[in-house]
Amino acid sequence: METIFRNLGWLLASRGINALLSLVYLALTTRTLGLENFGYFTLIVVLAQALAGFVSFNGWQAVVRWGVESAAARTATGFALALDISSIFVGVFLALGLTALASYWLPLPDTLFWPTFGLCAATIVAIRSTPTGVLRLYERYDLAAKADAVLPVTRAIGAGLAALFAPSVTGFIVAWAIAELACAAAFWKYSARYVSIGLPDISLKRLPEQQPDVWQFILGTSLSRTLAVISKQCMILLVGALGGATLAGGYRVASQLGQALVQLGEALSRAIYPEFVKTKDAAIVLSNKITLLCLMTGAVAIPVAYWGGEWAIRLLAGPEFVFVHSAMVILACAGALELLAANWESLLVAKHKAITPFLLRIAPLILVIAAMQSLIANWQLDGAAAGILMMSALSSFGLGLAVSRQQRDQHPPTADMFEAQ
């Protein structure tokens, strides 16, 4: 637990900086651009993030899992880098095609084609799964936190400059593209201190020859990542396609303020996954302790969103965005459930069951996508948020059952799921 809390501390420090500065550039973008233009900006940023999420792999988990032995570190890192390079080549071509067609399925004007493609390309080129895995392999979460902080710091500075000298959607898009590239450069700078690889090490064949289950593992974790992208970024695109740019912008504000717990969940999963891999048989006991911590965190965060959310929206985004408050509270509830899910999903992946979280998430996702048009038509933003809550509830319930079943397989039937010992 001490190692987890130390690693989690660095990750939360990074996330804390990110959260604080994200409020700064949220205020700058919403107040500078207004409802409709902020909606355009939101759709472009989310499209770039969604594309990067679709084409990239969770190579960092392969580095952590198979790079533990020093002799295998270069092989695992070279494999992850080969995955990233493949993702970049495929992603840039895919970005060109999707942005050319974006105006047909998203409420984006044709004049924003080049800014949209530029940000998509920059976000894909800035894929940093490999250096992230190297830093986690060597437990340099302090350096990872410093590199991660480059993104929000550069965004905040860029947003300030854009608000002063280029108060337009394009101005903010340029700032976001520069921030992505700067963050990737910082990760590579720090990771180069620990693993040095040459061209022969960059291979998609060497690691699978030594570890036959590599591709099954990569497929399972990457499918789960793809579902996470669909459930977050692609949901905003769906809201924009069905409800317009203004509704998409409102959803973005509600999501950023209400689902801060999702960021905590992502930090938690990244911190505990290496420990689950190392502890093996004691991983379930460790997961039970983390579950109690998650429950307490959610119990605090939801009331804060309910009573303090409207004040925060007025202060940061302005009174024209107050209509998102109820959706923000609903998304805070969904974030609390995702915090639990992140813990259980990491445990299942560490136990070589990477495909299980994918299967447990895809059914609720399909259900919500099918219902989203009706939800938005009847309840607007609150309906979209309720769909996300339903999806998180079903996914968390399934993951909890899967972990409970695994615990019963390893312990006597009388063992309690939340038992500390």
Side-chain angles (χ1 to χ4, degrees):
M1 286 293 287
E2 181 181 352
T3 302
I4 287 180
F5 280 117
R6 183 178 67 248
N7 295 340
L8 184 59
W10 283 112
L11 285 168
L12 290 182
S14 171
R15 292 291 174 175
I17 294 172
N18 193 355
L20 180 63
L21 292 178
S22 70
L23 298 180
V24 173
Y25 52 74
L26 176 66
L28 287 169
T29 52
T30 51
R31 292 180 178 273
T32 302
L33 297 176
L35 268 172
E36 186 176 29
N37 283 330
F38 179 72
Y40 294 149
F41 172 74
T42 293
L43 291 173
I44 294 170
V45 170
V46 170
L47 178 60
Q49 293 172 343
L51 273 171
F54 269 119
V55 301
S56 61
F57 297 90
N58 273 2
W60 73 268
Q61 290 183 317
V63 175
V64 170
R65 180 171 175 181
W66 286 289
V68 175
E69 298 180 6
S70 58
R74 290 179 60 178
T75 302
T77 303
F79 174 77
L81 181 55
L83 286 175
D84 285 351
I85 293 172
S86 302
S87 297
I88 290 171
F89 277 107
V90 173
V92 170
F93 283 106
L94 186 60
L96 183 61
L98 282 180
T99 51
L101 299 172
S103 61
Y104 291 99
W105 57 285
L106 287 176
L108 287 174
D110 293 334
T111 54
L112 292 175
F113 167 76
W114 287 112
T116 303
F117 173 68
L119 181 61
C120 288
T123 305
I124 291 167
V125 170
I127 288 173
R128 42 194 176 270
S129 182
T130 300
T132 299
V134 170
L135 293 177
R136 289 173 186 163
L137 173 64
Y138 290 93
E139 296 190 355
R140 293 312 308 262
Y141 285 79
D142 54 337
L143 296 180
K146 291 178 182 178
D148 213 24
V150 171
L151 182 67
V153 169
T154 309
R155 278 183 180 176
I157 294 172
L161 293 174
L164 290 173
F165 303 109
S168 64
V169 173
T170 300
F172 284 102
I173 289 299
V174 170
W176 259 240
I178 293 172
E180 288 288 345
L181 296 173
C183 183
F187 267 99
W188 281 109
K189 175 186 175 182
Y190 289 132
S191 66
R193 301 177 184 178
Y194 297 94
V195 177
S196 178
I197 60 175
L199 285 176
D201 297 312
I202 305 174
S203 171
L204 294 174
K205 295 182 178 179
R206 292 181 61 184
L207 184 63
E209 288 173 352
Q210 300 172 14
Q211 305 289 344
D213 60 337
V214 166
W215 285 114
Q216 181 182 356
F217 177 82
I218 289 294
L219 179 63
T221 56
S222 297
L223 286 174
S224 295
R225 175 190 174 89
T226 299
L227 286 182
V229 169
I230 295 174
S231 64
K232 290 190 293 183
Q233 279 82 8
C234 290
M235 280 299 174
I236 300 179
L237 295 177
L238 184 60
V239 169
L242 296 175
T246 298
L247 201 66
Y251 183 91
R252 179 69 168 186
V253 172
S255 177
Q256 190 159 338
L257 293 176
Q259 286 201 291
L261 278 177
V262 174
Q263 291 192 4
L264 177 61
E266 291 173 351
L268 178 67
S269 65
R270 291 171 183 174
I272 62 180
Y273 172 72
E275 295 306 311
F276 284 159
V277 172
K278 295 173 185 176
T279 55
K280 295 182 180 179
D281 293 338
I284 290 182
V285 174
L286 186 59
S287 175
N288 292 340
K289 295 178 180 179
I290 297 294
T291 297
L292 291 175
L293 179 63
C294 293
L295 290 171
M296 290 187 289
T297 304
V300 172
I302 294 172
V304 169
Y306 181 80
W307 279 292
E310 184 174 342
W311 173 83
I313 293 169
R314 288 184 181 274
L315 177 66
L316 296 169
E320 60 185 336
F321 284 91
V322 170
F323 73 96
V324 310
H325 177 237
S326 55
M328 172 187 168
V329 177
I330 296 171
L331 290 174
C333 297
L337 292 172
E338 286 296 331
L339 190 58
L340 288 169
N343 169 37
W344 293 329
E345 185 170 351
S346 294
L347 176 62
L348 292 170
V349 172
K351 291 293 184 180
H352 304 177
K353 297 183 180 296
I355 200 68
T356 302
F358 168 76
L359 297 175
L360 291 171
R361 284 188 180 275
I362 191 169
L365 178 61
I366 293 173
L367 178 63
V368 170
I369 290 176
M372 188 58 73
Q373 184 172 6
S374 176
L375 291 170
I376 292 176
N378 288 285
W379 297 286
Q380 297 293 303
L381 197 58
D382 290 349
I388 300 300
L389 175 59
M390 179 173 63
M391 179 176 63
S392 297
L394 293 174
S395 298
S396 300
F397 180 72
L399 290 166
L401 283 181
V403 170
S404 179
R405 179 179 178 181
Q406 185 168 6
Q407 184 175 15
R408 288 196 302 270
D409 291 341
Q410 295 185 9
H411 296 277
T414 56
D416 183 25
M417 184 175 178
F418 298 102
E419 186 172 273
Q421 296 291 336

